[in-house]
Amino acid sequence: MAMTNCAHDVSDGGMSSQELIHRVVLGLPQAVDTGAQSSLGTMTAYPTVQVTPLESVKRLGTGWHWWFSESVHIPIGSKIEFSFRGPRHMLVLYHEGVRAHGETWINDQHSSRLRSISRRLTFVPAGCTYRERHEASAPTRVTFLYLNPDAFRRSDEGDAGPRVHFEDPLVWETASKLKNAIEGRHDKCLPYLGALSDVLAHELTRGDQEMVSGPAVSRGGLAGWQKRVVVDYVEAHMGERICLPKLAELVRLSLHHFCRAFKQSFGVPAHQYQVRRRMDVAKVMLADRTTSITDIALNLGYAQTSSFSSTFRKTTGWTPTAYRREFE
């Protein structure tokens, strides 16, 4: 299995540990023993964030298959610059931090000078240019999640666009779970990583849609604001039977036009969309062995465990029990 763990405590030729970590992450030429080199896998073929000056921060990265997570600690008083452009999506989690001065840009268009950045997020789509300056007035801790677009599958609502310093508890929670799973580096968690990536893609896209006024249907489908209203309603009523007349009323369309527009926008009827979202959530819940399969079924609106199990198997190819066993 391809694995990268950049937390090697290797010293060679007077090279500092931080310098070595930087070279390992970026795949630069280095003097390192064969054992450490063989563990790098394929992750070194992809760029990560450039940090300037590198010696001012503590930096640690861990990769597992095509997922990669990197933590950067910025001491108080440090002046740091980040820059990134690559073939992967990148999600930035600001765990804590306050900057006296600084700015964040994506493609020199989306920018923010926010000072208190704790619990904020920034999403950089593949191919976009990201730059950030920090003059830290408090200790700052940041996580960079690098996400392969092929694994981070496009959700039904479209691709997520650039977003700077936004707040979203759902995205934060899912991204944190993904970070922890990557750092676990265990074959049994691969289905969990895939499920979390699917959920994260959906949540980023849902939050990215802008609310606009007007009941018009766009290109035969729902307008942007209508899609957001529908998705938010489905997410908030995951455990309830979906009510098509209610959805049509929310977006101010007749039932006939709503059903046609929904399928045009999402590729599946509304009921099937809800089933797929329920199964996405079920995958994440099954990783938590403290919650019984019966409780998961009830939370997702199934009166009988057998109905939930049958739907889960049709959707994923696994029974809930077999899927959960993968995490043992």
PDB file of all heavy atoms in Angstrom, residues 132-158:
ATOM      1  N   GLU A 132      -1.359  33.438   1.370  1.00  0.00           N
ATOM      2  CA  GLU A 132      -1.807  33.884   2.691  1.00  0.00           C
ATOM      3  C   GLU A 132      -0.624  34.447   3.460  1.00  0.00           C
ATOM      4  O   GLU A 132       0.475  33.885   3.442  1.00  0.00           O
ATOM      5  CB  GLU A 132      -2.447  32.723   3.456  1.00  0.00           C
ATOM      6  CG  GLU A 132      -3.102  33.139   4.755  1.00  0.00           C
ATOM      7  CD  GLU A 132      -4.148  32.128   5.215  1.00  0.00           C
ATOM      8  OE1 GLU A 132      -3.905  30.906   5.082  1.00  0.00           O
ATOM      9  OE2 GLU A 132      -5.200  32.554   5.711  1.00  0.00           O
ATOM     10  N   ARG A 133      -0.848  35.580   4.139  1.00  0.00           N
ATOM     11  CA  ARG A 133       0.167  36.198   4.990  1.00  0.00           C
ATOM     12  C   ARG A 133      -0.348  36.253   6.417  1.00  0.00           C
ATOM     13  O   ARG A 133      -1.511  36.582   6.655  1.00  0.00           O
ATOM     14  CB  ARG A 133       0.488  37.613   4.511  1.00  0.00           C
ATOM     15  CG  ARG A 133       1.240  37.688   3.195  1.00  0.00           C
ATOM     16  CD  ARG A 133       1.732  39.098   2.910  1.00  0.00           C
ATOM     17  NE  ARG A 133       0.616  40.033   2.678  1.00  0.00           N
ATOM     18  CZ  ARG A 133       0.192  40.933   3.548  1.00  0.00           C
ATOM     19  NH1 ARG A 133       0.755  41.027   4.752  1.00  0.00           N
ATOM     20  NH2 ARG A 133      -0.815  41.745   3.242  1.00  0.00           N
ATOM     21  N   HIS A 134       0.532  35.911   7.366  1.00  0.00           N
ATOM     22  CA  HIS A 134       0.198  35.956   8.786  1.00  0.00           C
ATOM     23  C   HIS A 134       1.265  36.712   9.556  1.00  0.00           C
ATOM     24  O   HIS A 134       2.461  36.449   9.389  1.00  0.00           O
ATOM     25  CB  HIS A 134       0.126  34.536   9.381  1.00  0.00           C
ATOM     26  CG  HIS A 134      -1.052  33.741   8.956  1.00  0.00           C
ATOM     27  ND1 HIS A 134      -2.265  33.768   9.608  1.00  0.00           N
ATOM     28  CD2 HIS A 134      -1.209  32.879   7.925  1.00  0.00           C
ATOM     29  CE1 HIS A 134      -3.111  32.951   9.003  1.00  0.00           C
ATOM     30  NE2 HIS A 134      -2.497  32.409   7.979  1.00  0.00           N
ATOM     31  N   GLU A 135       0.848  37.638  10.389  1.00  0.00           N
ATOM     32  CA  GLU A 135       1.684  38.163  11.457  1.00  0.00           C
ATOM     33  C   GLU A 135       0.953  37.769  12.740  1.00  0.00           C
ATOM     34  O   GLU A 135       0.008  38.431  13.162  1.00  0.00           O
ATOM     35  CB  GLU A 135       1.858  39.681  11.356  1.00  0.00           C
ATOM     36  CG  GLU A 135       2.779  40.245  12.425  1.00  0.00           C
ATOM     37  CD  GLU A 135       2.997  41.736  12.284  1.00  0.00           C
ATOM     38  OE1 GLU A 135       2.895  42.244  11.153  1.00  0.00           O
ATOM     39  OE2 GLU A 135       3.264  42.381  13.321  1.00  0.00           O
ATOM     40  N   ALA A 136       1.373  36.654  13.305  1.00  0.00           N
ATOM     41  CA  ALA A 136       0.609  36.007  14.368  1.00  0.00           C
ATOM     42  C   ALA A 136       0.711  36.780  15.680  1.00  0.00           C
ATOM     43  O   ALA A 136       1.805  36.979  16.212  1.00  0.00           O
ATOM     44  CB  ALA A 136       1.103  34.578  14.569  1.00  0.00           C
ATOM     45  N   SER A 137      -0.427  37.209  16.198  1.00  0.00           N
ATOM     46  CA  SER A 137      -0.471  37.852  17.510  1.00  0.00           C
ATOM     47  C   SER A 137      -0.890  36.862  18.589  1.00  0.00           C
ATOM     48  O   SER A 137      -1.035  37.234  19.752  1.00  0.00           O
ATOM     49  CB  SER A 137      -1.429  39.042  17.479  1.00  0.00           C
ATOM     50  OG  SER A 137      -2.743  38.635  17.116  1.00  0.00           O
ATOM     51  N   ALA A 138      -1.074  35.609  18.196  1.00  0.00           N
ATOM     52  CA  ALA A 138      -1.362  34.520  19.127  1.00  0.00           C
ATOM     53  C   ALA A 138      -0.891  33.223  18.456  1.00  0.00           C
ATOM     54  O   ALA A 138      -0.773  33.172  17.232  1.00  0.00           O
ATOM     55  CB  ALA A 138      -2.862  34.439  19.441  1.00  0.00           C
ATOM     56  N   PRO A 139      -0.582  32.201  19.238  1.00  0.00           N
ATOM     57  CA  PRO A 139      -0.192  30.924  18.622  1.00  0.00           C
ATOM     58  C   PRO A 139      -1.260  30.474  17.631  1.00  0.00           C
ATOM     59  O   PRO A 139      -2.456  30.538  17.916  1.00  0.00           O
ATOM     60  CB  PRO A 139      -0.079  29.975  19.822  1.00  0.00           C
ATOM     61  CG  PRO A 139       0.197  30.871  20.982  1.00  0.00           C
ATOM     62  CD  PRO A 139      -0.566  32.133  20.711  1.00  0.00           C
ATOM     63  N   THR A 140      -0.833  30.026  16.468  1.00  0.00           N
ATOM     64  CA  THR A 140      -1.754  29.673  15.387  1.00  0.00           C
ATOM     65  C   THR A 140      -1.504  28.242  14.943  1.00  0.00           C
ATOM     66  O   THR A 140      -0.358  27.826  14.775  1.00  0.00           O
ATOM     67  CB  THR A 140      -1.567  30.626  14.191  1.00  0.00           C
ATOM     68  OG1 THR A 140      -1.846  31.967  14.630  1.00  0.00           O
ATOM     69  CG2 THR A 140      -2.498  30.269  13.047  1.00  0.00           C
ATOM     70  N   ARG A 141      -2.586  27.500  14.784  1.00  0.00           N
ATOM     71  CA  ARG A 141      -2.479  26.105  14.338  1.00  0.00           C
ATOM     72  C   ARG A 141      -3.409  25.900  13.146  1.00  0.00           C
ATOM     73  O   ARG A 141      -4.604  26.189  13.210  1.00  0.00           O
ATOM     74  CB  ARG A 141      -2.847  25.151  15.478  1.00  0.00           C
ATOM     75  CG  ARG A 141      -2.695  23.675  15.132  1.00  0.00           C
ATOM     76  CD  ARG A 141      -2.703  22.836  16.411  1.00  0.00           C
ATOM     77  NE  ARG A 141      -3.902  23.055  17.192  1.00  0.00           N
ATOM     78  CZ  ARG A 141      -4.992  22.272  17.119  1.00  0.00           C
ATOM     79  NH1 ARG A 141      -5.000  21.249  16.287  1.00  0.00           N
ATOM     80  NH2 ARG A 141      -6.036  22.519  17.873  1.00  0.00           N
ATOM     81  N   VAL A 142      -2.838  25.381  12.058  1.00  0.00           N
ATOM     82  CA  VAL A 142      -3.559  25.236  10.799  1.00  0.00           C
ATOM     83  C   VAL A 142      -3.378  23.813  10.273  1.00  0.00           C
ATOM     84  O   VAL A 142      -2.302  23.230  10.404  1.00  0.00           O
ATOM     85  CB  VAL A 142      -3.030  26.237   9.740  1.00  0.00           C
ATOM     86  CG1 VAL A 142      -3.754  26.061   8.414  1.00  0.00           C
ATOM     87  CG2 VAL A 142      -3.175  27.668  10.234  1.00  0.00           C
ATOM     88  N   THR A 143      -4.447  23.257   9.699  1.00  0.00           N
ATOM     89  CA  THR A 143      -4.359  21.965   9.017  1.00  0.00           C
ATOM     90  C   THR A 143      -4.670  22.164   7.536  1.00  0.00           C
ATOM     91  O   THR A 143      -5.636  22.840   7.190  1.00  0.00           O
ATOM     92  CB  THR A 143      -5.347  20.944   9.606  1.00  0.00           C
ATOM     93  OG1 THR A 143      -4.915  20.584  10.918  1.00  0.00           O
ATOM     94  CG2 THR A 143      -5.408  19.677   8.754  1.00  0.00           C
ATOM     95  N   PHE A 144      -3.834  21.570   6.675  1.00  0.00           N
ATOM     96  CA  PHE A 144      -4.089  21.556   5.240  1.00  0.00           C
ATOM     97  C   PHE A 144      -4.486  20.133   4.847  1.00  0.00           C
ATOM     98  O   PHE A 144      -3.728  19.187   5.073  1.00  0.00           O
ATOM     99  CB  PHE A 144      -2.833  21.960   4.459  1.00  0.00           C
ATOM    100  CG  PHE A 144      -2.350  23.357   4.741  1.00  0.00           C
ATOM    101  CD1 PHE A 144      -1.212  23.578   5.503  1.00  0.00           C
ATOM    102  CD2 PHE A 144      -3.035  24.459   4.249  1.00  0.00           C
ATOM    103  CE1 PHE A 144      -0.764  24.858   5.762  1.00  0.00           C
ATOM    104  CE2 PHE A 144      -2.603  25.745   4.512  1.00  0.00           C
ATOM    105  CZ  PHE A 144      -1.460  25.947   5.273  1.00  0.00           C
ATOM    106  N   LEU A 145      -5.671  19.986   4.285  1.00  0.00           N
ATOM    107  CA  LEU A 145      -6.128  18.701   3.760  1.00  0.00           C
ATOM    108  C   LEU A 145      -6.032  18.746   2.239  1.00  0.00           C
ATOM    109  O   LEU A 145      -6.664  19.592   1.599  1.00  0.00           O
ATOM    110  CB  LEU A 145      -7.580  18.423   4.174  1.00  0.00           C
ATOM    111  CG  LEU A 145      -7.841  18.021   5.623  1.00  0.00           C
ATOM    112  CD1 LEU A 145      -9.345  17.831   5.841  1.00  0.00           C
ATOM    113  CD2 LEU A 145      -7.098  16.751   5.992  1.00  0.00           C
ATOM    114  N   TYR A 146      -5.237  17.833   1.662  1.00  0.00           N
ATOM    115  CA  TYR A 146      -5.080  17.770   0.210  1.00  0.00           C
ATOM    116  C   TYR A 146      -5.952  16.629  -0.301  1.00  0.00           C
ATOM    117  O   TYR A 146      -5.823  15.491   0.142  1.00  0.00           O
ATOM    118  CB  TYR A 146      -3.613  17.527  -0.150  1.00  0.00           C
ATOM    119  CG  TYR A 146      -2.681  18.567   0.431  1.00  0.00           C
ATOM    120  CD1 TYR A 146      -2.053  18.350   1.650  1.00  0.00           C
ATOM    121  CD2 TYR A 146      -2.441  19.768  -0.234  1.00  0.00           C
ATOM    122  CE1 TYR A 146      -1.201  19.301   2.190  1.00  0.00           C
ATOM    123  CE2 TYR A 146      -1.588  20.722   0.297  1.00  0.00           C
ATOM    124  CZ  TYR A 146      -0.970  20.484   1.517  1.00  0.00           C
ATOM    125  OH  TYR A 146      -0.128  21.429   2.043  1.00  0.00           O
ATOM    126  N   LEU A 147      -6.840  16.926  -1.251  1.00  0.00           N
ATOM    127  CA  LEU A 147      -7.889  15.998  -1.643  1.00  0.00           C
ATOM    128  C   LEU A 147      -7.829  15.733  -3.144  1.00  0.00           C
ATOM    129  O   LEU A 147      -7.977  16.645  -3.953  1.00  0.00           O
ATOM    130  CB  LEU A 147      -9.257  16.572  -1.260  1.00  0.00           C
ATOM    131  CG  LEU A 147      -9.389  16.939   0.223  1.00  0.00           C
ATOM    132  CD1 LEU A 147     -10.487  17.963   0.426  1.00  0.00           C
ATOM    133  CD2 LEU A 147      -9.650  15.704   1.063  1.00  0.00           C
ATOM    134  N   ASN A 148      -7.602  14.493  -3.500  1.00  0.00           N
ATOM    135  CA  ASN A 148      -7.558  14.093  -4.902  1.00  0.00           C
ATOM    136  C   ASN A 148      -8.942  14.284  -5.525  1.00  0.00           C
ATOM    137  O   ASN A 148      -9.924  13.731  -5.030  1.00  0.00           O
ATOM    138  CB  ASN A 148      -7.134  12.624  -4.988  1.00  0.00           C
ATOM    139  CG  ASN A 148      -6.872  12.174  -6.405  1.00  0.00           C
ATOM    140  OD1 ASN A 148      -7.520  12.636  -7.344  1.00  0.00           O
ATOM    141  ND2 ASN A 148      -5.936  11.266  -6.569  1.00  0.00           N
ATOM    142  N   PRO A 149      -9.066  15.051  -6.598  1.00  0.00           N
ATOM    143  CA  PRO A 149     -10.389  15.267  -7.203  1.00  0.00           C
ATOM    144  C   PRO A 149     -11.077  13.970  -7.614  1.00  0.00           C
ATOM    145  O   PRO A 149     -12.303  13.889  -7.603  1.00  0.00           O
ATOM    146  CB  PRO A 149     -10.084  16.143  -8.423  1.00  0.00           C
ATOM    147  CG  PRO A 149      -8.829  16.864  -8.064  1.00  0.00           C
ATOM    148  CD  PRO A 149      -8.027  15.870  -7.253  1.00  0.00           C
ATOM    149  N   ASP A 150     -10.310  12.929  -7.961  1.00  0.00           N
ATOM    150  CA  ASP A 150     -10.914  11.656  -8.350  1.00  0.00           C
ATOM    151  C   ASP A 150     -11.537  10.952  -7.153  1.00  0.00           C
ATOM    152  O   ASP A 150     -12.573  10.303  -7.266  1.00  0.00           O
ATOM    153  CB  ASP A 150      -9.861  10.736  -8.985  1.00  0.00           C
ATOM    154  CG  ASP A 150      -9.373  11.268 -10.322  1.00  0.00           C
ATOM    155  OD1 ASP A 150     -10.139  12.000 -10.973  1.00  0.00           O
ATOM    156  OD2 ASP A 150      -8.231  10.962 -10.686  1.00  0.00           O
ATOM    157  N   ALA A 151     -10.898  11.074  -5.992  1.00  0.00           N
ATOM    158  CA  ALA A 151     -11.451  10.465  -4.782  1.00  0.00           C
ATOM    159  C   ALA A 151     -12.512  11.358  -4.155  1.00  0.00           C
ATOM    160  O   ALA A 151     -13.509  10.897  -3.619  1.00  0.00           O
ATOM    161  CB  ALA A 151     -10.326  10.221  -3.763  1.00  0.00           C
ATOM    162  N   PHE A 152     -12.269  12.677  -4.254  1.00  0.00           N
ATOM    163  CA  PHE A 152     -13.198  13.667  -3.711  1.00  0.00           C
ATOM    164  C   PHE A 152     -14.259  13.892  -4.768  1.00  0.00           C
ATOM    165  O   PHE A 152     -14.312  14.909  -5.436  1.00  0.00           O
ATOM    166  CB  PHE A 152     -12.409  14.942  -3.426  1.00  0.00           C
ATOM    167  CG  PHE A 152     -13.136  15.970  -2.623  1.00  0.00           C
ATOM    168  CD1 PHE A 152     -13.482  15.734  -1.317  1.00  0.00           C
ATOM    169  CD2 PHE A 152     -13.452  17.198  -3.170  1.00  0.00           C
ATOM    170  CE1 PHE A 152     -14.130  16.697  -0.578  1.00  0.00           C
ATOM    171  CE2 PHE A 152     -14.108  18.163  -2.446  1.00  0.00           C
ATOM    172  CZ  PHE A 152     -14.448  17.910  -1.132  1.00  0.00           C
ATOM    173  N   ARG A 153     -15.136  12.911  -4.938  1.00  0.00           N
ATOM    174  CA  ARG A 153     -16.023  12.864  -6.084  1.00  0.00           C
ATOM    175  C   ARG A 153     -16.975  14.046  -6.116  1.00  0.00           C
ATOM    176  O   ARG A 153     -17.443  14.508  -5.094  1.00  0.00           O
ATOM    177  CB  ARG A 153     -16.817  11.546  -6.086  1.00  0.00           C
ATOM    178  CG  ARG A 153     -15.944  10.349  -6.415  1.00  0.00           C
ATOM    179  CD  ARG A 153     -16.803   9.134  -6.603  1.00  0.00           C
ATOM    180  NE  ARG A 153     -17.405   8.682  -5.372  1.00  0.00           N
ATOM    181  CZ  ARG A 153     -16.804   7.830  -4.533  1.00  0.00           C
ATOM    182  NH1 ARG A 153     -15.594   7.393  -4.789  1.00  0.00           N
ATOM    183  NH2 ARG A 153     -17.410   7.441  -3.433  1.00  0.00           N
ATOM    184  N   ARG A 154     -17.275  14.481  -7.322  1.00  0.00           N
ATOM    185  CA  ARG A 154     -18.197  15.603  -7.517  1.00  0.00           C
ATOM    186  C   ARG A 154     -19.595  15.212  -7.063  1.00  0.00           C
ATOM    187  O   ARG A 154     -20.128  14.189  -7.433  1.00  0.00           O
ATOM    188  CB  ARG A 154     -18.222  16.008  -8.989  1.00  0.00           C
ATOM    189  CG  ARG A 154     -19.106  17.214  -9.267  1.00  0.00           C
ATOM    190  CD  ARG A 154     -18.964  17.647 -10.708  1.00  0.00           C
ATOM    191  NE  ARG A 154     -19.438  16.614 -11.619  1.00  0.00           N
ATOM    192  CZ  ARG A 154     -20.711  16.490 -11.979  1.00  0.00           C
ATOM    193  NH1 ARG A 154     -21.625  17.309 -11.501  1.00  0.00           N
ATOM    194  NH2 ARG A 154     -21.063  15.551 -12.820  1.00  0.00           N
ATOM    195  N   SER A 155     -20.175  16.045  -6.232  1.00  0.00           N
ATOM    196  CA  SER A 155     -21.529  15.782  -5.763  1.00  0.00           C
ATOM    197  C   SER A 155     -22.537  16.180  -6.827  1.00  0.00           C
ATOM    198  O   SER A 155     -22.218  16.829  -7.809  1.00  0.00           O
ATOM    199  CB  SER A 155     -21.807  16.558  -4.463  1.00  0.00           C
ATOM    200  OG  SER A 155     -21.803  17.938  -4.717  1.00  0.00           O
ATOM    201  N   ASP A 156     -23.778  15.802  -6.615  1.00  0.00           N
ATOM    202  CA  ASP A 156     -24.808  16.025  -7.616  1.00  0.00           C
ATOM    203  C   ASP A 156     -25.085  17.509  -7.864  1.00  0.00           C
ATOM    204  O   ASP A 156     -25.611  17.874  -8.902  1.00  0.00           O
ATOM    205  CB  ASP A 156     -26.124  15.351  -7.175  1.00  0.00           C
ATOM    206  CG  ASP A 156     -25.996  13.844  -7.143  1.00  0.00           C
ATOM    207  OD1 ASP A 156     -25.247  13.299  -7.972  1.00  0.00           O
ATOM    208  OD2 ASP A 156     -26.627  13.234  -6.274  1.00  0.00           O
ATOM    209  N   GLU A 157     -24.715  18.355  -6.902  1.00  0.00           N
ATOM    210  CA  GLU A 157     -25.036  19.773  -7.049  1.00  0.00           C
ATOM    211  C   GLU A 157     -23.989  20.540  -7.841  1.00  0.00           C
ATOM    212  O   GLU A 157     -24.138  21.722  -8.083  1.00  0.00           O
ATOM    213  CB  GLU A 157     -25.193  20.416  -5.660  1.00  0.00           C
ATOM    214  CG  GLU A 157     -26.362  19.878  -4.872  1.00  0.00           C
ATOM    215  CD  GLU A 157     -26.017  18.569  -4.191  1.00  0.00           C
ATOM    216  OE1 GLU A 157     -24.893  18.421  -3.691  1.00  0.00           O
ATOM    217  OE2 GLU A 157     -26.884  17.686  -4.183  1.00  0.00           O
ATOM    218  N   GLY A 158     -22.888  19.910  -8.230  1.00  0.00           N
ATOM    219  CA  GLY A 158     -21.839  20.598  -8.974  1.00  0.00           C
ATOM    220  C   GLY A 158     -20.569  20.721  -8.160  1.00  0.00           C
ATOM    221  O   GLY A 158     -20.478  20.230  -7.043  1.00  0.00           O
TER     222      GLY A 158
END
